[in-house]
Amino acid sequence: MLAKDSLSWVVTVVILTGIFLTAAFLTGIDLIWYLFYLFLFLTVFVIWFFRDPDRTTKICDHCMFSAADGKVIDVSGQRVCVFMNVHNVHVNRAPISGVVKSITHKKGGYLPAFYKDSERNERTVTVIKSSHGDVNVTQIAGVMVRRIVSYVNVGDELVNGEKIGMIRFGSRVDVTIPEDLDITCKVGDRVYAGETVIAKEKVFKVRK
């Protein structure tokens, strides 16, 4: 399955690949053949990058899931930061059930998304009002293609693991953790959106 709003990218590279293939057959020019192979590679890359695999998320009122695929690069205070490399799935998911309280888009710079100062980059902050309090999901664009796509609107009711948007080509997602939850992940962990638990309710942990 391809990510929402990615069809135009796929169609564009497929058409260009077809054009160069036709031109290469008609002319036999080596340069055009090289361009065909380049765009064939781009076609495969774009289809692979915009993949959107099925995920099974358990309905959980006492825990939070990762909002992104990637590597945990920072756990400080009540915040977990996940860096998505170019090979990761870039569709982001709701870390917790709740209602979309606000969506704020901010323009910014061009720093690589793994830098701490990348908070100055273009970003979208989605606030989810949950039973544990407000949770901020901050999608931070990277240095390549600064384009954040949101799939939700203010007032939407979300279930944990539901798709909320994506960031194109290298990026980072920061999630704030409510005070009544304990963070269960650490720096260096590999996490998957909608599948990896990153925090659990303190009371639930005691009962367990």
mmCIF file of all heavy atoms in Angstrom, residues 123-152:
data_model
loop_
_atom_site.group_PDB
_atom_site.id
_atom_site.type_symbol
_atom_site.label_atom_id
_atom_site.label_comp_id
_atom_site.label_asym_id
_atom_site.label_seq_id
_atom_site.Cartn_x
_atom_site.Cartn_y
_atom_site.Cartn_z
ATOM 1 N N ARG A 123 7.881 22.683 10.937
ATOM 2 C CA ARG A 123 7.299 21.631 11.774
ATOM 3 C C ARG A 123 5.790 21.834 11.914
ATOM 4 O O ARG A 123 5.272 22.937 11.737
ATOM 5 C CB ARG A 123 7.952 21.612 13.156
ATOM 6 C CG ARG A 123 7.829 22.900 13.947
ATOM 7 C CD ARG A 123 8.880 22.960 15.033
ATOM 8 N NE ARG A 123 8.796 24.172 15.833
ATOM 9 C CZ ARG A 123 9.287 25.350 15.483
ATOM 10 N NH1 ARG A 123 9.887 25.481 14.300
ATOM 11 N NH2 ARG A 123 9.174 26.401 16.264
ATOM 12 N N THR A 124 5.130 20.763 12.256
ATOM 13 C CA THR A 124 3.701 20.795 12.542
ATOM 14 C C THR A 124 3.489 20.180 13.917
ATOM 15 O O THR A 124 3.943 19.069 14.188
ATOM 16 C CB THR A 124 2.902 20.013 11.490
ATOM 17 O OG1 THR A 124 3.011 20.672 10.219
ATOM 18 C CG2 THR A 124 1.430 19.933 11.872
ATOM 19 N N VAL A 125 2.812 20.920 14.781
ATOM 20 C CA VAL A 125 2.534 20.444 16.135
ATOM 21 C C VAL A 125 1.051 20.097 16.231
ATOM 22 O O VAL A 125 0.188 20.964 16.097
ATOM 23 C CB VAL A 125 2.889 21.503 17.196
ATOM 24 C CG1 VAL A 125 2.609 20.954 18.598
ATOM 25 C CG2 VAL A 125 4.347 21.931 17.065
ATOM 26 N N THR A 126 0.759 18.818 16.453
ATOM 27 C CA THR A 126 -0.613 18.346 16.626
ATOM 28 C C THR A 126 -0.823 18.025 18.100
ATOM 29 O O THR A 126 -0.098 17.207 18.671
ATOM 30 C CB THR A 126 -0.876 17.082 15.787
ATOM 31 O OG1 THR A 126 -0.631 17.383 14.403
ATOM 32 C CG2 THR A 126 -2.317 16.608 15.943
ATOM 33 N N VAL A 127 -1.796 18.690 18.710
ATOM 34 C CA VAL A 127 -2.091 18.469 20.135
ATOM 35 C C VAL A 127 -3.298 17.543 20.238
ATOM 36 O O VAL A 127 -4.372 17.842 19.698
ATOM 37 C CB VAL A 127 -2.368 19.790 20.867
ATOM 38 C CG1 VAL A 127 -2.671 19.523 22.347
ATOM 39 C CG2 VAL A 127 -1.180 20.735 20.734
ATOM 40 N N ILE A 128 -3.098 16.402 20.923
ATOM 41 C CA ILE A 128 -4.174 15.431 21.124
ATOM 42 C C ILE A 128 -4.620 15.490 22.582
ATOM 43 O O ILE A 128 -3.811 15.307 23.496
ATOM 44 C CB ILE A 128 -3.693 14.009 20.777
ATOM 45 C CG1 ILE A 128 -3.231 13.945 19.318
ATOM 46 C CG2 ILE A 128 -4.811 12.995 21.033
ATOM 47 C CD1 ILE A 128 -2.602 12.613 18.940
ATOM 48 N N LYS A 129 -5.898 15.770 22.786
ATOM 49 C CA LYS A 129 -6.459 15.792 24.140
ATOM 50 C C LYS A 129 -6.858 14.375 24.514
ATOM 51 O O LYS A 129 -7.782 13.795 23.947
ATOM 52 C CB LYS A 129 -7.673 16.714 24.198
ATOM 53 C CG LYS A 129 -8.266 16.869 25.584
ATOM 54 C CD LYS A 129 -9.450 17.826 25.579
ATOM 55 C CE LYS A 129 -10.042 17.986 26.983
ATOM 56 N NZ LYS A 129 -11.209 18.918 26.975
ATOM 57 N N SER A 130 -6.112 13.787 25.460
ATOM 58 C CA SER A 130 -6.351 12.398 25.849
ATOM 59 C C SER A 130 -6.849 12.317 27.279
ATOM 60 O O SER A 130 -6.922 13.331 27.985
ATOM 61 C CB SER A 130 -5.062 11.587 25.710
ATOM 62 O OG SER A 130 -4.164 11.878 26.772
ATOM 63 N N SER A 131 -7.165 11.114 27.733
ATOM 64 C CA SER A 131 -7.612 10.919 29.111
ATOM 65 C C SER A 131 -6.489 11.169 30.112
ATOM 66 O O SER A 131 -6.735 11.312 31.314
ATOM 67 C CB SER A 131 -8.155 9.493 29.283
ATOM 68 O OG SER A 131 -7.160 8.533 28.971
ATOM 69 N N HIS A 132 -5.250 11.222 29.626
ATOM 70 C CA HIS A 132 -4.093 11.479 30.487
ATOM 71 C C HIS A 132 -3.626 12.937 30.412
ATOM 72 O O HIS A 132 -2.652 13.309 31.045
ATOM 73 C CB HIS A 132 -2.927 10.568 30.097
ATOM 74 C CG HIS A 132 -3.213 9.110 30.279
ATOM 75 N ND1 HIS A 132 -3.092 8.467 31.488
ATOM 76 C CD2 HIS A 132 -3.648 8.175 29.395
ATOM 77 C CE1 HIS A 132 -3.418 7.190 31.353
ATOM 78 N NE2 HIS A 132 -3.759 6.984 30.095
ATOM 79 N N GLY A 133 -4.314 13.731 29.605
ATOM 80 C CA GLY A 133 -3.903 15.117 29.405
ATOM 81 C C GLY A 133 -3.485 15.355 27.962
ATOM 82 O O GLY A 133 -3.565 14.452 27.115
ATOM 83 N N ASP A 134 -3.051 16.560 27.660
ATOM 84 C CA ASP A 134 -2.656 16.915 26.291
ATOM 85 C C ASP A 134 -1.328 16.261 25.910
ATOM 86 O O ASP A 134 -0.388 16.239 26.712
ATOM 87 C CB ASP A 134 -2.525 18.434 26.147
ATOM 88 C CG ASP A 134 -3.876 19.141 26.186
ATOM 89 O OD1 ASP A 134 -4.906 18.430 26.170
ATOM 90 O OD2 ASP A 134 -3.902 20.380 26.237
ATOM 91 N N VAL A 135 -1.283 15.751 24.694
ATOM 92 C CA VAL A 135 -0.064 15.145 24.154
ATOM 93 C C VAL A 135 0.302 15.892 22.874
ATOM 94 O O VAL A 135 -0.515 15.996 21.958
ATOM 95 C CB VAL A 135 -0.273 13.649 23.847
ATOM 96 C CG1 VAL A 135 0.927 13.088 23.097
ATOM 97 C CG2 VAL A 135 -0.515 12.866 25.133
ATOM 98 N N ASN A 136 1.520 16.423 22.822
ATOM 99 C CA ASN A 136 1.997 17.132 21.635
ATOM 100 C C ASN A 136 2.777 16.174 20.739
ATOM 101 O O ASN A 136 3.738 15.545 21.182
ATOM 102 C CB ASN A 136 2.917 18.292 22.014
ATOM 103 C CG ASN A 136 2.172 19.415 22.722
ATOM 104 O OD1 ASN A 136 0.981 19.328 22.958
ATOM 105 N ND2 ASN A 136 2.888 20.467 23.073
ATOM 106 N N VAL A 137 2.366 16.104 19.476
ATOM 107 C CA VAL A 137 3.098 15.332 18.478
ATOM 108 C C VAL A 137 3.694 16.330 17.492
ATOM 109 O O VAL A 137 2.964 16.983 16.749
ATOM 110 C CB VAL A 137 2.177 14.341 17.736
ATOM 111 C CG1 VAL A 137 2.980 13.532 16.726
ATOM 112 C CG2 VAL A 137 1.473 13.420 18.715
ATOM 113 N N THR A 138 5.016 16.472 17.520
ATOM 114 C CA THR A 138 5.692 17.464 16.687
ATOM 115 C C THR A 138 6.414 16.783 15.538
ATOM 116 O O THR A 138 7.365 16.026 15.752
ATOM 117 C CB THR A 138 6.702 18.290 17.510
ATOM 118 O OG1 THR A 138 6.027 18.879 18.619
ATOM 119 C CG2 THR A 138 7.327 19.390 16.651
ATOM 120 N N GLN A 139 5.947 17.035 14.320
ATOM 121 C CA GLN A 139 6.575 16.493 13.113
ATOM 122 C C GLN A 139 7.556 17.546 12.596
ATOM 123 O O GLN A 139 7.160 18.658 12.243
ATOM 124 C CB GLN A 139 5.532 16.177 12.052
ATOM 125 C CG GLN A 139 4.530 15.113 12.466
ATOM 126 C CD GLN A 139 3.324 15.089 11.547
ATOM 127 O OE1 GLN A 139 2.474 15.977 11.604
ATOM 128 N NE2 GLN A 139 3.253 14.083 10.686
ATOM 129 N N ILE A 140 8.840 17.191 12.539
ATOM 130 C CA ILE A 140 9.889 18.135 12.150
ATOM 131 C C ILE A 140 10.467 17.724 10.803
ATOM 132 O O ILE A 140 10.953 16.600 10.641
ATOM 133 C CB ILE A 140 11.006 18.181 13.202
ATOM 134 C CG1 ILE A 140 10.420 18.537 14.580
ATOM 135 C CG2 ILE A 140 12.084 19.194 12.810
ATOM 136 C CD1 ILE A 140 11.429 18.455 15.708
ATOM 137 N N ALA A 141 10.409 18.615 9.837
ATOM 138 C CA ALA A 141 10.928 18.320 8.499
ATOM 139 C C ALA A 141 12.448 18.331 8.503
ATOM 140 O O ALA A 141 13.086 19.017 9.295
ATOM 141 C CB ALA A 141 10.395 19.336 7.493
ATOM 142 N N GLY A 142 13.039 17.562 7.573
ATOM 143 C CA GLY A 142 14.492 17.474 7.469
ATOM 144 C C GLY A 142 15.060 18.426 6.440
ATOM 145 O O GLY A 142 14.413 19.383 6.010
ATOM 146 N N VAL A 143 16.285 18.124 6.000
ATOM 147 C CA VAL A 143 17.014 19.037 5.128
ATOM 148 C C VAL A 143 16.673 18.845 3.654
ATOM 149 O O VAL A 143 16.928 19.711 2.828
ATOM 150 C CB VAL A 143 18.539 18.860 5.340
ATOM 151 C CG1 VAL A 143 19.003 17.514 4.800
ATOM 152 C CG2 VAL A 143 19.330 20.001 4.721
ATOM 153 N N MET A 144 16.089 17.701 3.283
ATOM 154 C CA MET A 144 15.887 17.390 1.865
ATOM 155 C C MET A 144 14.620 18.036 1.314
ATOM 156 O O MET A 144 14.663 19.082 0.686
ATOM 157 C CB MET A 144 15.866 15.875 1.648
ATOM 158 C CG MET A 144 17.194 15.206 1.944
ATOM 159 S SD MET A 144 17.146 13.421 1.715
ATOM 160 C CE MET A 144 16.863 13.286 -0.030
ATOM 161 N N VAL A 145 13.469 17.405 1.532
ATOM 162 C CA VAL A 145 12.216 17.954 1.037
ATOM 163 C C VAL A 145 11.370 18.344 2.245
ATOM 164 O O VAL A 145 10.899 17.490 2.970
ATOM 165 C CB VAL A 145 11.454 16.927 0.169
ATOM 166 C CG1 VAL A 145 10.130 17.508 -0.311
ATOM 167 C CG2 VAL A 145 12.315 16.518 -1.016
ATOM 168 N N ARG A 146 11.216 19.652 2.447
ATOM 169 C CA ARG A 146 10.553 20.153 3.644
ATOM 170 C C ARG A 146 9.044 20.173 3.415
ATOM 171 O O ARG A 146 8.433 21.200 3.176
ATOM 172 C CB ARG A 146 11.070 21.548 3.958
ATOM 173 C CG ARG A 146 12.508 21.576 4.386
ATOM 174 C CD ARG A 146 13.240 22.837 3.971
ATOM 175 N NE ARG A 146 12.428 24.028 3.952
ATOM 176 C CZ ARG A 146 12.170 24.797 4.997
ATOM 177 N NH1 ARG A 146 12.620 24.477 6.183
ATOM 178 N NH2 ARG A 146 11.442 25.884 4.878
ATOM 179 N N ARG A 147 8.430 19.007 3.538
ATOM 180 C CA ARG A 147 7.008 18.907 3.272
ATOM 181 C C ARG A 147 6.348 17.981 4.284
ATOM 182 O O ARG A 147 6.645 16.793 4.338
ATOM 183 C CB ARG A 147 6.775 18.386 1.860
ATOM 184 C CG ARG A 147 5.327 18.107 1.504
ATOM 185 C CD ARG A 147 4.487 19.371 1.476
ATOM 186 N NE ARG A 147 3.152 19.084 0.971
ATOM 187 C CZ ARG A 147 2.116 19.900 1.101
ATOM 188 N NH1 ARG A 147 2.262 21.043 1.744
ATOM 189 N NH2 ARG A 147 0.940 19.577 0.608
ATOM 190 N N ILE A 148 5.486 18.549 5.125
ATOM 191 C CA ILE A 148 4.757 17.782 6.119
ATOM 192 C C ILE A 148 3.294 17.715 5.688
ATOM 193 O O ILE A 148 2.677 18.738 5.399
ATOM 194 C CB ILE A 148 4.862 18.430 7.514
ATOM 195 C CG1 ILE A 148 6.329 18.537 7.945
ATOM 196 C CG2 ILE A 148 4.063 17.636 8.541
ATOM 197 C CD1 ILE A 148 6.551 19.353 9.205
ATOM 198 N N VAL A 149 2.754 16.517 5.625
ATOM 199 C CA VAL A 149 1.367 16.310 5.211
ATOM 200 C C VAL A 149 0.572 15.827 6.407
ATOM 201 O O VAL A 149 0.937 14.836 7.044
ATOM 202 C CB VAL A 149 1.266 15.273 4.078
ATOM 203 C CG1 VAL A 149 -0.183 15.093 3.646
ATOM 204 C CG2 VAL A 149 2.127 15.692 2.891
ATOM 205 N N SER A 150 -0.519 16.528 6.728
ATOM 206 C CA SER A 150 -1.377 16.138 7.840
ATOM 207 C C SER A 150 -2.620 15.451 7.306
ATOM 208 O O SER A 150 -3.227 15.903 6.332
ATOM 209 C CB SER A 150 -1.769 17.364 8.671
ATOM 210 O OG SER A 150 -2.581 16.984 9.767
ATOM 211 N N TYR A 151 -2.995 14.341 7.935
ATOM 212 C CA TYR A 151 -4.185 13.593 7.534
ATOM 213 C C TYR A 151 -5.400 13.900 8.406
ATOM 214 O O TYR A 151 -6.487 13.394 8.136
ATOM 215 C CB TYR A 151 -3.929 12.083 7.633
ATOM 216 C CG TYR A 151 -2.864 11.532 6.720
ATOM 217 C CD1 TYR A 151 -2.347 10.257 6.934
ATOM 218 C CD2 TYR A 151 -2.366 12.255 5.636
ATOM 219 C CE1 TYR A 151 -1.377 9.716 6.107
ATOM 220 C CE2 TYR A 151 -1.394 11.728 4.812
ATOM 221 C CZ TYR A 151 -0.900 10.455 5.046
ATOM 222 O OH TYR A 151 0.067 9.917 4.226
ATOM 223 N N VAL A 152 -5.230 14.695 9.457
ATOM 224 C CA VAL A 152 -6.307 14.910 10.427
ATOM 225 C C VAL A 152 -6.676 16.388 10.506
ATOM 226 O O VAL A 152 -5.945 17.262 10.026
ATOM 227 C CB VAL A 152 -5.906 14.393 11.823
ATOM 228 C CG1 VAL A 152 -5.667 12.895 11.778
ATOM 229 C CG2 VAL A 152 -4.664 15.116 12.342
#
